[in-house]
Each structure stands twice: as structure tokens, then as C-alpha cells.
Amino acid sequence: MGRRTVEVNPGDIFTIPLFLPSNWGDDYDVDYSKYKFHTDDIYGFGRLIEIQTGNVDLVEVFHYAGQIPKSPEIILNSGRMFAPEHVGHPYTGRGRWQAVFNDPRYDMWQDSDYENISFLSSAGHMWKGKETIPISARRYDELKRAGVPDWVMNSRIDLEKRIRSTLEAWGIALHYEQVVKERKHEFPKPRDPDKKLKETIAPFHWISGQGKYTLSLDAGLLHGDLFTKHDMLGNGYDWEKIASAFMEKQGMDVYRKFRFDCEADTFSLTSSSKKLLKEFSLSFHEFVMDTEVFEEFLRGLSGRFA
């Protein structure tokens, strides 16, 4: 998930903004360093219990939600909102979550009752206070029914959504959707990690999200005269034939790695592997943009399907 970029310590109390967009994944590519947080907004508050391996932190979230107080007592005295949770890499130098209080005397065993923090694993054990305890399937079910949570690595967005849901269930009106809409122009925008790729493969389009990646092209944008010359329509289905033949020539396993979803006006190729589709996109674009090579390939293809 990346290297930790700011120093944080167990016992630090941090703000959890409840008014930032939640539709950007976990927004690690968004820079909040210049964003002016509204001091009169409602924040949630958490405390770092322990920095664990792999940039995973154990944190607890408190009942108190409101403006940032002058001292941490009102936060600490409010008690936990729910059981401690693991969060993946919650702190970055760009500041979506910000530490506001620290406690050099913090003792996780005493202050956070560390000994009784427990998590279950369906693999057959329970983690409790640094100990891994083997348990039977029957015991797992008993502990699960008793409310012991599974070990899950949450994102910051996961916890923000859970806190908002809890507060709204308590009747606290956050007007979240309205606030996000009104402040849309204020929020920093996510950095596009695929910007260079998109520019390189134009006029092809690259779309990514939720573990699925798509290369597409509007039919009719490229080589219309060549398609006509070789008695082809140049529609999405013709581009599928070309891409399939190109993959075969390259020795690529078409059906195991990629899925076509073409229509008459659109060529579309999808994969769950960003690396493989990116490699194909770059080589296919280079091939397509070389007019002489493309026409020679098209000539052979039109004869093949004649």
C-alpha cells in the first residue's frame, strides 16, 4: 500500500472527516495538503492503538462526533462507538485523516484494554491481545454469535461510511450528500495514474475500476478507407476479428485472459489483469497506427474471412 509518509504514534487521536467524497476508492492519489478543512464541520474521532505489520493499523473509534474540541477529554470519555478495527495505511502526508492530539504516556494495555481486543479467523484461530489461539469450527461459530468480529482490513472510506451510518441511525443529521454536492468545486481531484497511458493510446479509450479494465474504440474513427478498400465495414465486430487475429499472431491466449464485448459502433476488450491489457493496448495501438503494416494485415484478414 505504500510507505508511511508521516510519523504517527500509538495514542494519537485523529480526525475522521465525515464530509469528503466516498466515491474515489480509498483516494490514496488525492492530495489534501492544500485543502482547507472546515472547522465547524462534524468529525468523527479515532485513536491509534497499534502500528502493525504491512502498514496496517489497529484503531478505535469514539462515540463523540462534532467539532474539534480544545482538549481530548470529551472524546476519550465518550467511549467506543464500536469494537476496534484494522485500517490499511490510514495516514499519509496529504492529510485526509489528521492527528490532533497525542499522548506520550499512552498505554494500549491499560488505556485501550488491549488484552481483550479479539478477532476471529475462519482458518481456525482467534487473535486476542497479541496471542493466536487455535479454535474449533464450533467455537468459531459460538464466538461469532457472541459478537467477536472477523479480522478484516478496512479502508478509511469503509470506516467513514460506517461512522456516518451509525450517527444517522442515532438521528444525527449529517446531510452528507447535500454537503458533498455543494462543495464539489472545493475538493481536490484524484490523480489519474493512467493519464500517460490514455494519452499514448488515443484515440483508443482506457477505462479502469473495481478490478476490471477495458480498452475501447469508437468504430469509424480509424482507417475507414482501408476497410472499404478490403470490403469490410470497419465496425466493432471487424475490430474484434482484427484484435483476435493480432493476439493469435502474438501467441496470446485470447479467451482465458480477455473478454470481448463489441457492438456495431464500438470495439470493447476487457480483462481483470491491468498488466496484460496494458501491454496489449500499447502493442495493438502501435500496430494499428502503422498504416502500411495495418493494411497488409487487413489484406490477409479479409482473404481469410472471404
Side-chain angles (χ1 to χ4, degrees):
M1 283 194 179
R3 187 167 54 87
R4 193 181 301 277
T5 57
V6 294
E7 183 179 354
V8 290
N9 298 288
D12 285 358
I13 294 175
F14 52 88
T15 55
I16 304 175
L18 302 176
F19 44 83
L20 295 180
S22 294
N23 60 343
W24 293 341
D26 202 29
D27 82 347
Y28 288 110
D29 292 314
V30 181
D31 186 354
Y32 287 98
S33 60
K34 296 181 180 179
Y35 176 69
K36 294 182 179 180
F37 287 87
H38 293 239
T39 57
D40 57 350
D41 273 321
I42 296 179
Y43 293 84
F45 294 86
R47 175 164 62 184
L48 174 60
I49 297 175
E50 182 180 33
I51 299 171
Q52 299 187 339
T53 58
N55 265 333
V56 177
D57 290 342
L58 180 62
V59 304
E60 56 189 340
V61 175
F62 296 97
H63 277 102
Y64 175 78
Q67 297 180 14
I68 302 173
K70 293 182 179 180
S71 65
E73 280 71 22
I74 188 174
I75 299 171
L76 297 173
N77 292 337
S78 68
R80 287 175 181 161
M81 181 177 287
F82 41 77
E85 293 281 6
H86 290 96
V87 184
H89 193 39
Y91 302 96
T92 71
R94 297 174 296 232
R96 183 179 179 108
W97 288 12
Q98 299 182 336
V100 288
F101 300 107
N102 58 58
D103 183 358
R105 296 174 295 179
Y106 172 73
D107 182 331
M108 65 183 184
W109 295 92
Q110 177 177 331
D111 298 328
S112 296
D113 193 23
Y114 188 83
E115 182 179 2
N116 291 309
I117 298 176
S118 303
F119 298 97
L120 298 175
S121 169
S122 57
H125 62 263
M126 176 176 69
W127 183 93
K128 182 177 181 180
K130 284 193 182 296
E131 291 188 50
T132 301
I133 305 168
I135 56 174
S136 64
R138 179 178 179 180
R139 182 58 176 159
Y140 172 89
D141 291 337
E142 291 174 348
L143 293 169
K144 186 76 173 175
R145 286 194 297 270
V148 179
D150 286 318
W151 197 108
V152 175
M153 189 181 74
N154 300 274
S155 69
R156 296 174 299 186
I157 301 298
D158 292 333
L159 250 63
E160 289 174 15
K161 289 180 177 178
R162 185 173 176 185
I163 294 168
R164 285 200 300 268
S165 178
T166 300
L167 293 174
E168 288 167 1
W170 292 347
I172 299 176
L174 298 176
H175 306 293
Y176 172 73
E177 299 294 342
Q178 178 182 337
V179 171
V180 169
K181 183 177 181 180
E182 291 174 351
R183 298 183 187 173
K184 184 178 181 180
H185 67 284
E186 297 180 13
F187 299 130
K189 300 297 186 289
R191 181 182 66 84
D192 186 355
D194 300 317
K195 182 179 179 180
K196 184 176 180 180
L197 173 63
K198 291 175 181 177
E199 293 173 346
T200 301
I201 65 173
F204 287 86
H205 303 289
W206 176 271
I207 304 169
S208 61
Q210 301 299 317
K212 186 174 79 170
Y213 307 92
T214 300
L215 175 71
S216 69
L217 177 70
D218 296 332
L221 283 180
L222 290 173
H223 303 315
D225 56 335
L226 297 182
F227 282 108
T228 300
K229 181 179 178 180
H230 294 282
D231 299 318
M232 300 178 74
L233 298 174
N235 59 21
Y237 305 116
D238 282 340
W239 278 102
E240 179 176 339
K241 293 174 184 176
I242 293 168
S244 295
F246 180 79
M247 289 178 185
E248 291 175 10
K249 186 176 180 180
Q250 299 294 316
M252 303 176 71
D253 189 334
V254 179
Y255 300 104
R256 289 187 60 187
K257 298 174 181 177
F258 302 100
R259 181 175 64 82
F260 288 103
D261 188 20
C262 300
E263 297 180 357
D265 60 351
T266 308
F267 163 74
S268 180
L269 179 65
T270 298
S271 177
S272 60
S273 172
K274 181 176 182 178
K275 179 177 183 293
L276 291 176
L277 187 60
K278 180 179 178 180
E279 290 174 353
F280 170 79
S281 300
L282 291 169
S283 60
F284 190 58
H285 176 267
E286 182 179 3
F287 153 72
V288 168
M289 300 309 289
D290 189 325
T291 304
E292 292 184 7
V293 172
F294 183 79
E295 183 175 9
E296 182 181 348
F297 191 86
L298 201 63
R299 183 181 300 113
L301 193 65
S302 61
R304 176 179 170 184
F305 289 104

